[in-house]
């Protein structure tokens, strides 16, 4: 029986050493110490021995049990340690590896320019007014002193909706909205989308953006208009930029003017950007026509005002030096990624 016991212990220790998983350990424990184990069987045979041999052999069986228990405990520790090591090395972070770069969004060039324009005018004391993309004839034309037969009312140029409303063709509508609501002094800009039935080409889009300015107070003169324009041009395009106004006609201003800045590309000597004349057209301007004041109930004897409207897409084009307005709407990532 002693031989049998020694052989059993030797076998058990070897088997336990070979355990690799928690399950292996459970199986080994059941096999060598459980109810149906050889050891248990030997234990039950104790009573077949002569009484004087029983204590000594009982002790041996207990020793064998302890040895197997110890081996199981040791092996179980090892299995756990190996599992931990495996897991922690798989999840280990190598701090010397380059990090994964996160894809970062950027602002659209029009948004960037729009914010710059807002900052410039806010710093001059202007407030920002909001208007509507969908307007009526009154705010887009009538109140702006635009006669019924004016060519800009042409059905082919203006997007009319089925309900008789229209997509505004200019941000000048906001002048009316503001003057209807607030008494002078007024000093606002309004930026937003405009719509005209133009075929897209490098310098025209059917949906484009304008910034409108309106200043109304006692004693406002053309000099206020030109100095505001000059200030704006210099902040946007640099201290060396000059500005000028040329006579023009708009129904809602008298006198009316077009505004130019010296070419931001060649400085005024002539190049492809300015079509070799040294100046770049920025938009329309003028002194608010008394008829417009009458339409909104402002006393045109007491107040005067200036207004202008500039193309934001145009400003973006000059600032970021791209040749074709259409790329603003194409959402080509190769273009957009340059504005982060
Ligand atoms: N609304 C005009 C346009 O879209 C531009 C303009 C001209 C705006 C004169 C003004 C202005 O405020 O006074 O062509």
């Amino acid at each position: 029986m002693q031989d049998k016991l020694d052989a059993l212990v030797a076998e058990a220790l070897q088997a336990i050493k070979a355990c690799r998983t928690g399950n292996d350990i459970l199986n080994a424990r059941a096999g060598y110490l459980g109810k149906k184990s050889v050891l248990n069987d030997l234990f039950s045979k104790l009573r077949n021995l002569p009484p004087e041999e029983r204590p000594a052999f009982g002790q041996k069986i207990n020793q064998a049990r302890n040895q197997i228990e110890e081996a199981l405990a040791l092996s179980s520790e090892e299995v756990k340690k190996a599992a931990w090591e495996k897991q922690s090395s798989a999840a280990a972070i190598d701090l010397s590896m380059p990090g994964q770069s996160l894809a970062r969004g950027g602002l659209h060039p029009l948004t960037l320019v729009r914010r710059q324009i807002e900052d410039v005018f806010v710093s001059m004391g202007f407030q920002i007014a909001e208007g509507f993309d969908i307007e009526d004839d009154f705010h887009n034309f009538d109140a702006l002193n635009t006669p019924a037969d004016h060519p800009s009312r042409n059905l082919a140029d203006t997007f009319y909706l089925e309900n008789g409303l229209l997509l505004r063709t200019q941000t000048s509508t906001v002048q009316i909205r503001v003057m209807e609501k607030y008494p002078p002094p007024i000093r606002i800009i309004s930026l937003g989308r405009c719509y005209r039935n133009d075929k897209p080409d490098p310098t025209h889009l059917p949906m484009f953006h304008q910034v409108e300015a309106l200043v109304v107070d006692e004693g406002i003169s053309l000099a206020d208009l030109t100095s505001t324009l000059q200030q704006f041009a210099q902040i946007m395009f640099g201290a060396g930029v000059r500005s000028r106004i040329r006579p023009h006609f708009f129904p809602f201003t008298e006198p009316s003017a077009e505004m130019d800045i010296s070419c931001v590309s060649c400085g005024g000597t002539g190049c492809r950007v300015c079509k070799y004349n040294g100046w770049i057209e920025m938009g329309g301007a003028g002194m608010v026509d008394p008829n417009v004041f009458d339409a909104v109930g402002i006393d045109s004897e007491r107040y005067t005002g200036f207004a202008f409207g500039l193309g934001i897409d145009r400003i973006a084009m000059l600032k970021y030096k791209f040749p074709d307005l259409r790329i603003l709407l194409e959402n080509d990532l190769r273009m957009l990624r340059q504005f982060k």
Side-chain angles (χ1 to χ4, degrees):
M1 266 173 104
Q2 176 66 49
D3 289 352
K4 209 170 170 188
L5 196 59
D6 289 344
L8 179 71
V9 170
E11 183 201 313
L13 294 188
Q14 209 172 7
I16 291 168
K17 226 175 169 175
C19 286
R20 290 287 167 265
T21 67
N23 238 0
D24 292 347
I25 307 247
L26 284 179
N27 288 335
R29 173 181 295 281
Y32 293 108
L33 299 179
K35 268 195 177 142
K36 289 180 185 156
S37 65
V38 182
L39 203 69
N40 219 31
D41 192 40
L42 285 174
F43 204 70
S44 62
K45 282 180 183 146
L46 257 183
R47 72 182 108 85
N48 302 339
L49 287 176
E52 63 281 8
E53 288 178 23
R54 282 183 205 165
F57 199 68
Q59 223 174 3
K60 293 235 164 79
I61 292 178
N62 274 338
Q63 268 172 11
R65 177 183 289 279
N66 288 343
Q67 259 181 300
I68 293 172
E69 282 283 11
E70 251 172 57
L72 280 169
L74 199 79
S75 186
S76 157
E77 275 308 303
E78 257 157 33
V79 164
K80 273 191 215 156
K81 205 170 131 198
W84 163 249
E85 266 166 15
K86 195 169 158 197
Q87 198 190 23
S88 60
S89 75
I93 299 167
D94 180 352
L95 293 176
S96 68
M97 291 287 282
Q100 263 183 355
S101 59
L102 293 175
R104 201 155 47 101
L107 293 174
H108 192 277
L110 278 177
T111 307
L112 290 172
V113 168
R114 183 186 170 136
R115 289 187 181 180
Q116 282 170 21
I117 296 171
E118 286 174 352
D119 286 349
V120 174
F121 283 106
V122 166
S123 77
M124 292 190 212
F126 283 73
Q127 286 183 298
I128 296 173
E130 299 282 343
F132 307 114
D133 285 23
I134 296 177
E135 270 291 6
D136 50 32
D137 271 312
F138 178 75
H139 291 88
N140 200 85
F141 295 121
D142 299 330
L144 286 163
N145 197 33
T146 309
D149 58 356
H150 192 272
S152 68
R153 288 194 179 222
N154 194 332
L155 281 174
D157 293 334
T158 306
F159 291 113
Y160 279 92
L161 307 180
E162 276 168 11
N163 59 9
L165 297 177
L166 52 87
L167 299 182
R168 68 174 176 195
T169 60
Q170 51 190 354
T171 44
S172 302
T173 53
V174 189
Q175 291 187 29
I176 305 304
R177 294 262 166 212
V178 168
M179 288 191 286
E180 280 174 334
K181 227 169 153 185
Y182 302 102
I186 291 168
R187 197 184 295 171
I188 59 100
I189 57 161
S190 187
L191 306 92
R193 296 192 184 103
C194 303
Y195 307 83
R196 279 179 211 173
N197 195 1
D198 279 333
K199 232 177 123 192
D201 71 26
T203 53
H204 295 89
L205 294 173
M207 189 274 288
F208 56 101
H209 302 78
Q210 285 187 338
V211 50
E212 188 82 13
L214 173 70
V215 173
V216 182
D217 203 347
E218 290 177 22
I220 297 293
S221 73
L222 208 56
D224 297 308
L225 166 63
T226 51
S227 59
T228 305
L229 171 65
Q230 175 64 24
Q231 182 87 352
F232 170 71
Q234 285 185 332
I235 300 177
M236 270 324 263
F237 295 107
V241 170
R242 287 159 292 131
S243 63
R244 71 174 188 188
I245 57 172
R246 284 177 286 111
H248 198 74
F249 174 78
F250 294 102
F252 35 91
T253 40
E254 182 59 37
S256 298
E258 270 191 329
M259 307 188 293
D260 300 331
I261 59 168
S262 57
C263 179
V264 295
S265 187
C266 64
T269 52
C271 69
R272 266 191 20 230
V273 174
C274 59
K275 301 201 183 83
Y276 299 97
N277 78 34
W279 294 93
I280 293 173
E281 192 190 312
M282 297 296 287
M287 300 304 291
V288 179
D289 192 298
N291 288 342
V292 174
F293 283 145
D294 291 346
V296 292
I298 287 180
D299 181 357
S300 56
E301 295 292 321
R302 183 172 166 198
Y303 293 105
T304 50
F306 73 75
F308 60 77
L310 310 175
I312 299 179
D313 314 78
R314 197 79 202 287
I315 295 174
M317 192 178 192
L318 292 173
K319 208 162 168 57
Y320 296 122
K321 300 189 168 50
F322 56 85
D324 190 325
L325 286 179
R326 290 171 294 189
I327 68 166
L328 288 171
L329 302 181
E330 282 168 356
N331 282 335
D332 185 332
L333 286 177
R334 290 168 301 177
M335 195 281 279
L336 295 176
R337 282 204 178 106
Q338 298 175 46
F339 298 90
K340 281 201 168 169

